[in-house]
């Protein structure tokens, strides 16, 4: 759209201001508006204005998610999120007015109370842009100006953050910070300024202006061909300098530290080694590790054998109690018997707590009633094609129900969440004892209980770690997924939530879990299992021209078609390939358990790991207590962590 002296190059409706800091916004705190990028005279403006009164926030309808096929809350940029089960998420459907186009002006008097929120800022005044974390709510952007102030957060109820950033990149250079992958530092398209910066950094042998020119024209090839020394430069910059040493770089300003950024070339991984898995551990081999008093001997060797080959079916009932922490690897046979007696008494005391609740009491205990209803519903559809649970009056279903209700007494804070029945079912199938199965289930939940927390911070962190591993192992696949709006890897959500329970045949799940429970060859092997599956499917995904919906459909159709031995073999090979790399980024080493987590420089969120960074020889000292906040830490209105939006 063009007018006298201006031209609208981008426009997106459904961009809201949330004027309340409450966790849940009411209709009076939401202001619907339109965001535009406008070329006016010799300047480029970012302009937000509320829609006219006919379509203001008083017409917002609060309802359940609309499944009629409309685009009320999704767009082609944001594929439907499938967590693998059926939560009843409440979302907001909005009225779609047609905003009236008008020329954006600065300093105009507002015609309504909502009009007072309108703003217009020159792109040259921007200092940084922060994106929301991947999640299940709306995506938002926060813009910080050169003066250090922040504009109201822009919440994209219909998607569009990626499209806006792509348009802004025509006029600005957006550099992602390694300290916060959601923070973009803003630089003007000024080749002379960039050339001068590169000259001071001494990163290139050739003429810096030529590098910048090629970088602006073809950033990818120039990055990987000419920026090969950036990693070494930043590694040296992180090293403490000797006293008296001078630096060519000017010191940072004293008022507030500017988060840096770096351009990382591909990590040079060596060849992937060949891995051969061994045979399962037999009962005879297990008995050779049992000492005179029933104490297990040479436990590390035994765990290595379980990792490389799994367990024979007849041994699982005994060995799983050790793998899940119910029985101690160092205990004697008599100590184990005493421990089982104690835990049996403890279990039935907890079971009695809910068994003794009368129907009259339960009517006044909505929490217990809700847990009971949810458990009954989930148990009735858990592994019903397995002979151990088939049939309407199967006693196995009653045991599942009782164990899960007792777990609600054991862990009041967590209670029961959909998906837990999937984790208990194989354990009860193998152990076939109510008390032992309960305590083994508790041991498993110690490993994965963060997956079921309401905030989903643990799941978000795992998806971030998975993305980081995949970025090192297969950058082209990551770039492809990102180009198809699948870079958040949300299609892996169910894999990580219930440890691939619905991806493999039932008996293969038993083999997979016992291998993962060994904790070998390091933590987070389940993430490498996910990488192995994606590695096996990379050609199909990349060569078939799949879009985001086709990618999600293809991943879902892998259910029951994967070979657990092939996946485990590939996952172990990926682990060996990564650990053999001498230049493995430090945060990847943290994921694999090869390095201790670096001391954070600031109280930044721990939802996802840092972007790729070079191996650090020594951690930098923490900032002093009086360090000034980051430029965008003075935000006044932002959603709580669990309400951050997703924009795939």
């Amino acid at each position: 759209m063009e007018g006298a002296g201006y031209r609208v190059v981008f426009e997106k409706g459904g961009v809201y201001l949330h004027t309340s800091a409450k966790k849940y916004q009411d209709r009076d705190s939401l202001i619907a508006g339109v965001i535009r990028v406008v070329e006016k005279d010799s300047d480029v403006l970012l302009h937000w204005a509320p829609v006219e009164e006919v379509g203001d926030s008083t017409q917002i309808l609060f309802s359940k998610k609309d499944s009629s096929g409309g685009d009320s809350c999704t767009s082609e940029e944001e594929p439907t999120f499938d967590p693998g089960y059926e939560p009843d998420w409440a979302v907001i459907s909005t009225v779609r007015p047609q905003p009236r186009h008008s020329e954006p002006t600065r300093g105009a008097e507002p015609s309504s109370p909502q009009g007072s929120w309108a703003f217009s800022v020159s792109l040259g005044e921007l200092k940084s842009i922060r994106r929301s974390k991947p999640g299940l709510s709306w995506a938002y952007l926060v813009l910080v100006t050169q003066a250090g102030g922040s504009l109201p957060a822009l919440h994209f109820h219909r998607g569009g953050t990626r499209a806006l950033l792509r348009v802004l990149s025509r006029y600005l250079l957006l550099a992602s910070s390694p300290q916060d992958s959601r923070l973009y530092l803003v630089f003007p398209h000024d080749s002379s300024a960039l050339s001068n910066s590169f000259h001071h950094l001494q990163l290139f042998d050739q003429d810096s202006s030529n590098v910048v020119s090629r970088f602006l024209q073809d950033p990818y090839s120039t990055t990987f061909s000419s920026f090969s020394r950036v990693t070494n430069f930043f590694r040296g910059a992180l090293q403490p300098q000797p006293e008296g040493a001078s630096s060519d770089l000017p010191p940072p300003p004293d008022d507030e530290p500017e988060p840096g950024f770096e351009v990382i070339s591909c990590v040079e991984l060596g060849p992937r080694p060949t891995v051969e898995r061994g045979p399962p551990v037999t009962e005879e081999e297990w008995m050779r590790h049992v000492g005179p008093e029933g104490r297990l001997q040479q436990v590390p060797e035994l765990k290595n054998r379980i990792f490389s080959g799994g367990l024979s079916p007849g041994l699982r009932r005994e060995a799983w109690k050790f793998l899940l922490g119910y029985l101690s690897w160092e205990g004697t046979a008599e100590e184990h018997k005493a421990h089982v007696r104690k835990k049996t008494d403890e279990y039935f005391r907890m079971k009695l707590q809910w068994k003794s609740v009368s129907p009259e009491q339960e009517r006044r205990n909505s929490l217990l009633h809700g847990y009971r209803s949810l458990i009954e519903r989930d148990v009735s559809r858990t592994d019903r094609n397995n002979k151990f649970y088939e049939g309407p009056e199967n006693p196995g279903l009653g045991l599942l129900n009782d164990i899960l209700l007792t777990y609600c007494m054991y862990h009041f804070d967590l209670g029961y969440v959909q998906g837990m029945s999937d984790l208990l079912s194989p354990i009860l199938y193998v152990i076939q004892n109510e008390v032992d199965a309960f305590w083994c289930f508790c041991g498993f939940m110690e490993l994965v209980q963060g997956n079921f927390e309401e905030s989903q911070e643990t799941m978000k962190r795992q998806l971030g770690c998975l993305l980081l591993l995949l970025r090192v192992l297969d950058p082209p696949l990551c770039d492809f997924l990102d180009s198809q709006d699948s870079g958040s890897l949300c299609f892996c959500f169910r894999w990580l939530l219930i440890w691939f329970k619905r991806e493999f045949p039932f008996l293969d799940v038993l083999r997979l879990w016992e291998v993962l429970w060994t904790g070998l060859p390091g933590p987070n092997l389940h993430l490498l299992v996910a990488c192995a599956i994606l590695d096996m499917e990379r050609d199909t995904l990349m060569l078939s021209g799949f879009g985001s919906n086709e990618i999600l459909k293809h991943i879902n159709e892998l259910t029951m078609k994967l070979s657990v031995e092939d996946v485990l073999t590939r996952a172990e090979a990926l682990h060996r390939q990564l650990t053999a790399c001498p230049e493995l980024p430090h945060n990847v080493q943290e994921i694999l358990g090869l390095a201790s987590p670096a001391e954070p420089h600031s109280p930044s969120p721990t939802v996802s790991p840092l972007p790729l960074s070079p191996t650090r020889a020594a951690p930098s000292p923490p900032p002093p207590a009086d360090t000034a906040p980051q430029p965008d830490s003075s935000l006044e209105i932002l959603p709580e962590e669990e309400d951050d939006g997703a924009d795939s």
Side-chain angles (χ1 to χ4, degrees):
M1 184 184 70
E2 297 186 7
Y6 75 96
R7 184 170 72 94
V8 177
V9 296
F10 175 82
E11 182 176 88
K12 180 67 178 178
V15 181
Y16 283 68
L17 299 188
H18 293 191
T19 61
S20 170
K22 295 180 180 179
K23 178 178 179 181
Y24 301 105
Q25 304 287 325
D26 54 44
R27 65 183 65 189
D28 295 326
S29 65
L30 298 175
I31 302 179
V34 178
I35 190 73
R36 299 185 180 98
V37 177
V38 182
E39 293 180 351
K40 183 178 181 182
D41 300 328
S42 60
D43 199 3
V44 182
L45 306 177
L46 186 67
H47 177 77
W48 182 91
V51 297
E52 300 297 333
E53 294 296 328
V54 295
D56 65 13
S57 58
T58 61
Q59 298 190 36
I60 293 175
L61 304 177
F62 290 77
S63 65
K64 295 289 184 180
K65 180 163 55 178
D66 181 13
S67 59
S68 62
D71 59 348
S72 59
C73 291
T74 59
S75 69
E76 62 181 5
E77 294 181 347
E78 297 177 351
T80 302
F81 189 91
D82 178 15
Y85 52 94
E86 302 81 27
D88 295 323
W89 291 309
V91 297
I92 293 180
S93 303
T94 58
V95 176
R96 299 302 186 87
Q98 292 295 329
R100 302 176 187 175
H101 299 300
S102 61
E103 177 185 351
T105 59
R106 301 196 199 188
E109 291 296 327
S111 59
S112 67
Q114 292 188 356
S116 64
W117 289 91
F119 65 84
S120 184
V121 61
S122 171
L123 297 190
E125 299 176 9
L126 296 180
K127 184 176 184 179
S128 64
I129 301 174
R130 178 182 291 278
R131 291 184 68 185
S132 56
K133 298 192 301 288
L136 299 179
S137 186
W138 300 301
Y140 67 84
L141 293 177
V142 176
L143 293 82
V144 178
T145 65
Q146 295 287 349
S150 59
L151 299 173
L154 301 173
H155 295 259
F156 291 72
H157 287 202
R158 305 175 196 168
T161 59
R162 283 184 177 273
L164 176 59
L165 291 174
R166 279 195 293 266
V167 172
L168 294 181
S169 65
R170 302 177 193 170
Y171 308 95
L172 303 167
L173 289 177
L174 304 180
S176 180
S177 167
Q179 297 179 359
D180 187 344
S181 60
R182 301 182 291 121
L183 179 66
Y184 295 92
L185 306 180
V186 176
F187 300 92
H189 272 311
D190 187 343
S191 296
S192 60
L194 282 177
S195 299
N196 189 43
S197 300
F198 291 149
H199 172 72
H200 283 294
L201 294 175
Q202 297 180 350
L203 298 178
F204 308 102
D205 295 325
Q206 64 266 49
D207 179 65
S208 296
S209 61
N210 182 42
V211 172
V212 174
S213 175
R214 290 190 291 111
F215 177 77
L216 295 178
Q217 296 173 6
D218 189 358
Y220 288 99
S221 61
T222 308
T223 295
F224 291 114
S225 63
S226 301
F227 283 27
S228 59
R229 290 193 287 166
V230 177
T231 297
N232 291 332
F233 168 79
F234 278 96
R235 182 183 301 125
L238 291 173
Q239 301 283 351
Q241 297 188 8
E243 293 185 6
S246 62
S247 173
D248 293 333
L249 296 176
D254 295 331
D255 53 347
E256 59 182 16
E258 176 76 0
F261 70 98
E262 58 185 335
V263 183
I264 302 297
S265 58
C266 290
V267 177
E268 293 289 342
L269 294 179
R272 188 174 301 175
T274 301
V275 173
E276 293 186 5
R277 292 185 53 77
V281 178
T282 62
E283 297 176 61
E284 293 77 11
E285 184 178 353
W286 178 274
M287 289 305 299
R288 290 199 293 269
H289 287 268
V290 179
E293 296 181 342
R295 194 191 310 270
L296 288 172
Q297 301 172 337
Q298 300 174 322
V299 172
E301 177 186 335
L302 182 57
K303 285 186 177 180
N304 270 298
R305 279 288 295 114
I306 298 173
F307 168 74
S308 64
L311 296 162
S312 60
L315 183 57
R316 286 185 175 129
R317 183 174 183 180
E318 177 72 12
W320 278 24
K321 299 174 186 177
F322 292 90
L323 289 170
L324 290 169
Y326 177 39
L327 299 181
S328 169
W329 293 94
E330 294 79 21
T332 65
E334 289 300 320
E335 290 171 343
H336 290 157
K337 290 180 182 178
H339 179 74
V340 169
R341 286 195 296 270
K342 175 184 175 182
K343 288 297 183 180
T344 300
D345 180 65
E346 186 176 347
Y347 172 77
F348 282 109
R349 283 204 313 269
M350 290 187 293
K351 184 175 181 179
L352 185 62
Q353 291 175 4
W354 64 266
K355 277 282 191 180
S356 60
V357 175
S358 66
E360 182 68 22
Q361 287 177 298
E362 186 170 327
R363 280 197 293 270
R364 294 189 294 269
N365 190 332
S366 59
L367 187 62
L368 178 60
H369 179 73
Y371 285 150
R372 187 191 294 272
S373 300
L374 189 58
I375 289 171
E376 288 177 355
R377 186 180 71 176
D378 285 358
V379 164
S380 66
R381 58 187 183 185
T382 298
D383 291 325
R384 297 308 302 276
N385 58 343
N386 187 304
K387 290 185 178 180
F388 190 76
Y389 297 109
E390 68 181 3
E393 302 296 331
N394 193 298
L397 300 180
L399 292 179
L400 280 177
N401 181 85
D402 290 359
I403 292 173
L404 292 172
L405 273 171
T406 305
Y407 184 79
C408 294
M409 302 295 105
Y410 172 78
H411 200 316
F412 283 105
D413 291 338
L414 185 60
Y416 177 79
V417 182
Q418 286 178 310
M420 289 183 181
S421 60
D422 279 291
L423 302 185
L424 173 60
S425 170
I427 294 175
L428 181 59
Y429 170 85
V430 168
I431 303 298
Q432 298 192 10
N433 176 279
E434 181 180 358
V435 175
D436 294 345
F438 172 82
W439 291 112
C440 287
F441 173 68
C442 290
F444 194 7
M445 287 301 300
E446 286 295 318
L447 298 176
V448 300
Q449 71 178 36
N451 293 3
F452 299 95
E453 293 173 351
E454 185 177 2
S455 67
Q456 296 190 336
E457 292 300 307
T458 300
M459 288 301 302
K460 296 173 186 176
R461 188 183 306 116
Q462 290 183 81
L463 287 172
C465 291
L466 175 59
L467 179 59
L468 185 55
L469 289 173
L470 195 63
R471 175 66 63 183
V472 175
L473 289 166
D474 198 339
L477 177 58
C478 275
D479 291 340
F480 167 76
L481 293 175
D482 192 57
S483 70
Q484 301 302 319
D485 290 330
S486 300
S488 62
L489 303 182
C490 287
F491 52 82
C492 301
F493 188 95
R494 186 177 70 188
W495 294 0
L496 306 183
L497 178 71
I498 52 176
W499 276 29
F500 309 94
K501 166 64 166 55
R502 301 186 186 179
E503 317 313 317
F504 294 93
F506 191 86
L507 296 180
D508 284 356
V509 171
L510 310 184
R511 173 60 47 80
L512 174 65
W513 284 4
E514 63 198 15
V515 170
L516 296 177
W517 290 336
T518 64
L520 299 174
N524 295 315
L525 179 63
H526 67 296
L527 300 181
L528 288 175
V529 170
C531 288
I533 297 175
L534 293 175
D535 184 67
M536 295 168 68
E537 299 299 318
R538 76 179 303 274
D539 290 342
T540 302
L541 294 173
M542 297 181 67
L543 300 179
S544 300
F546 285 164
S548 58
N549 291 333
E550 290 81 10
I551 291 173
L552 178 63
K553 181 175 181 292
H554 178 75
I555 293 299
N556 287 336
E557 289 176 349
L558 294 177
T559 301
M560 303 301 163
K561 298 178 182 178
L562 298 168
S563 166
V564 70
E565 290 297 331
D566 291 345
V567 171
L568 285 172
T569 299
R570 192 171 300 232
E572 184 177 356
L574 294 176
H575 185 275
R576 294 186 186 182
Q577 185 181 25
L578 288 170
T579 55
C581 176
E583 297 296 327
L584 196 64
H586 186 273
N587 40 14
V588 178
Q589 294 184 38
E590 294 175 8
I591 296 173
L592 300 179
L594 304 177
S596 301
E599 192 169 351
H601 296 276
S602 63
S604 57
T606 57
V607 174
S608 61
L610 297 175
L612 289 179
S613 61
T615 303
R616 286 164 280 188
S620 302
D626 58 351
T627 300
Q630 296 291 346
D632 53 352
S633 62
S634 59
L635 309 179
E636 296 181 0
I637 302 174
L638 281 180
E640 293 185 13
E641 293 294 322
E642 66 214 53
D643 290 331
D644 288 342
D647 189 46
S648 47

